[in-house]
Amino acid sequence: MNKPLRVALLGLGTVGSGTFNVLNTNAIEIERRVGFPIQIKVIADLNTDKARELAGPGVEVLGDAFEAVKRDDIDVVVELIGGYTIAKQLVLAAINAGKHVVTANKALLAVHGDEIFAAAEAKNVMVAFEAAVAGGIPVIKSIKEGLAANKIEYVAGIINGTCNFILSEMRDKGLPFADVLAQAQAFGYAEADPTFDIEGVDAAHKISLLSSLAFGVPVQFEKAYIEGITKLTKEDIQFAEQLGYRVKLLGIAKRTDQGIELRVHPTLIPGKRLIANVEGVMNAVLVKANAVGPTLYYGAGAGSLPTASAVVADLIEIARASQAPLASRVPVLAFQKAGIQYLDVLPMEKVVTAFYLRLAVDDKPGVLAEVTRLLADNQISIEAMIQRQATSEKETAEIVLLTHRCVEGDVNKAIAKIEALDSVHGPLTRIRVEDLS
């Protein structure tokens, strides 16, 4: 029988405590799968009293995570502290000490992933991060292994549960954004400072990692286009419903002849698509590949036990790989080093998609014709339209247009000209539309 895989667990918060519990609760099942135990040897957490209470006898508890990383009796370091600074130092220290690393830290990998992955390759150690994207959904392993025979065309994901809860509640209850955000904070779905979630940064961290895995490119978070949900209104969500669409915050990575698209923004999706019907805090990732076609991965994107499930799955992968020849390991970004390509990320002006446009105009003849002419002048055609007539209290009418697919740069030019019209009041609302067929 092989010796146990010895683990240092750094951070005993929501995910850390879940990881400890999953390893203990499922210890027999895990050993049956691996062939030997996975054992938490040491826990590092600033709150040592709490850590000792959870760990019980037999597990050493330290207040200094760097001390845990330096130990010779540790094979794998599980980093669940979060953030950029200390977490990066700990991960690089673990790698330099020849230890494998498991992390749920999407922000760290999105910003510093290339440096961390290069360091791991130089030391012949593994970095596993299934828990960093979509919680308990095994989408990273699916892309790295299950879809390895395919050329992936695009990845589109609902990968932030906070935003999905907010949009679901706005649609179901007709409430404004601010009210639902306060509700999400009361339920614990949103942080006291929800900026990373509602402004799309968290989703951009995740889609940047998925883009690298799907296309074999470096992590390029700094080139991602990011737009959050703070400007969405309940009226836009209601109009989308009338047109047969649902509004979701999507992270999209798409391969094109000109390069790759890497973007996060609110998106209209046809209501008949499965991904359009993912509600509440749940996550879903749609992957379109050239051989298998579209595949959808659905489940809990956060939470103690779902995320811990992914952390422990990474530990199992490392335990198995540690018994196999080095050459048999799956590369950290799914492609061999020589197969990594440096593809350009398209600027948004060159992205082609359809658009939802809403504008308030004077309720008089000829206004709609003027708007449609400006769209046509910029190679933009209309697929559908809704017009809400003015009431006695309101002299402006509201027009909603769905365009066919067109170049975003052309839409920007048309919008600037439309907003300059005397008959148009206020800024035009623009939401991108994806068919996801």
Side-chain angles (χ1 to χ4, degrees), residues 145-169:
E145 300 179 47
L147 299 177
N150 290 259
K151 181 178 182 180
I152 294 177
E153 298 173 11
Y154 70 74
V155 179
I158 297 171
I159 44 181
N160 184 275
T162 300
C163 288
N164 203 49
F165 171 81
I166 291 171
L167 295 177
S168 297
E169 290 292 293

Side-chain angles (χ1 to χ4, degrees), residues 72-381:
D72 293 332
D73 59 346
I74 296 299
D75 305 305
V76 185
V77 170
V78 178
E79 184 278 306
L80 300 174
I81 293 173
Y84 299 101
T85 309
I86 298 299
K88 179 186 176 184
Q89 294 171 10
L90 288 166
V91 166
L92 289 176
I95 290 170
N96 289 332
K99 305 180 194 309
H100 305 293
V101 171
V102 174
T103 181
N105 195 336
K106 66 269 184 179
L108 173 66
L109 296 181
V111 176
H112 300 293
D114 289 338
E115 178 185 354
I116 289 168
F117 299 147
E121 183 180 24
K123 285 288 187 177
N124 291 325
V125 297
M126 300 175 65
V127 176
F129 53 96
E130 184 69 67
V133 180
I137 305 173
V139 65
I140 288 178
K141 285 183 174 60
S142 296
I143 292 174
K144 288 174 67 173
E145 300 179 47
L147 299 177
N150 290 259
K151 181 178 182 180
I152 294 177
E153 298 173 11
Y154 70 74
V155 179
I158 297 171
I159 44 181
N160 184 275
T162 300
C163 288
N164 203 49
F165 171 81
I166 291 171
L167 295 177
S168 297
E169 290 292 293
M170 289 176 70
R171 182 184 68 83
D172 288 344
K173 299 178 181 177
L175 295 173
F177 171 83
D179 289 359
V180 182
L181 172 59
Q183 183 180 340
Q185 289 173 316
F187 289 163
Y189 297 150
E191 302 288 344
D193 179 2
T195 303
F196 264 35
D197 291 324
I198 62 177
E199 295 294 355
V201 178
D202 175 77
H205 287 148
K206 296 168 183 175
I207 197 63
S208 298
L209 294 172
L210 292 179
S211 173
S212 295
L213 294 163
F215 309 133
V217 298
V219 183
Q220 300 178 87
F221 166 73
E222 73 283 356
K223 296 182 181 179
Y225 172 82
I226 307 173
E227 178 183 327
I229 64 171
T230 57
K231 296 179 181 178
L232 289 175
T233 68
K234 61 181 182 179
E235 288 79 15
D236 290 315
I237 290 174
Q238 291 164 356
F239 276 128
E241 285 281 313
Q242 292 180 47
L243 292 162
Y245 290 82
R246 299 276 176 89
V247 181
K248 298 292 182 182
L249 182 76
L250 284 189
I252 298 173
K254 186 179 293 187
R255 187 196 301 264
T256 75
D257 292 338
Q258 292 76 41
I260 61 171
E261 298 174 9
L262 186 58
R263 47 193 171 99
V264 172
H265 50 72
T267 310
L268 267 68
I269 309 169
K272 62 186 177 182
R273 300 281 181 256
L274 284 174
I275 194 171
N277 293 279
V278 173
E279 301 292 351
V281 295
M282 303 303 281
N283 280 199
V285 181
L286 176 64
V287 183
K288 176 76 176 296
N290 68 339
V292 73
T295 55
L296 182 67
Y297 307 86
Y298 167 87
S304 177
L305 295 182
T307 309
S309 169
V311 171
V312 175
D314 279 341
L315 286 170
I316 291 171
E317 178 186 352
I318 288 173
R320 288 168 171 166
S322 66
Q323 305 302 304
L326 186 64
S328 67
R329 292 179 186 171
V330 179
V332 65
L333 289 179
F335 291 77
Q336 298 295 334
K337 183 179 179 180
I340 298 294
Q341 300 176 333
Y342 293 85
L343 302 177
D344 290 333
V345 174
L346 263 63
M348 284 303 293
E349 302 84 58
K350 295 185 179 181
V351 170
V352 176
T353 186
F355 287 87
Y356 161 104
L357 306 174
R358 178 172 62 85
L359 59 160
V361 301
D362 289 337
D363 188 23
K364 63 183 183 181
V367 173
L368 180 58
E370 196 170 16
V371 170
T372 56
R373 177 184 61 78
L374 288 174
L375 291 172
D377 288 347
N378 287 276
Q379 292 78 50
I380 302 164
S381 60

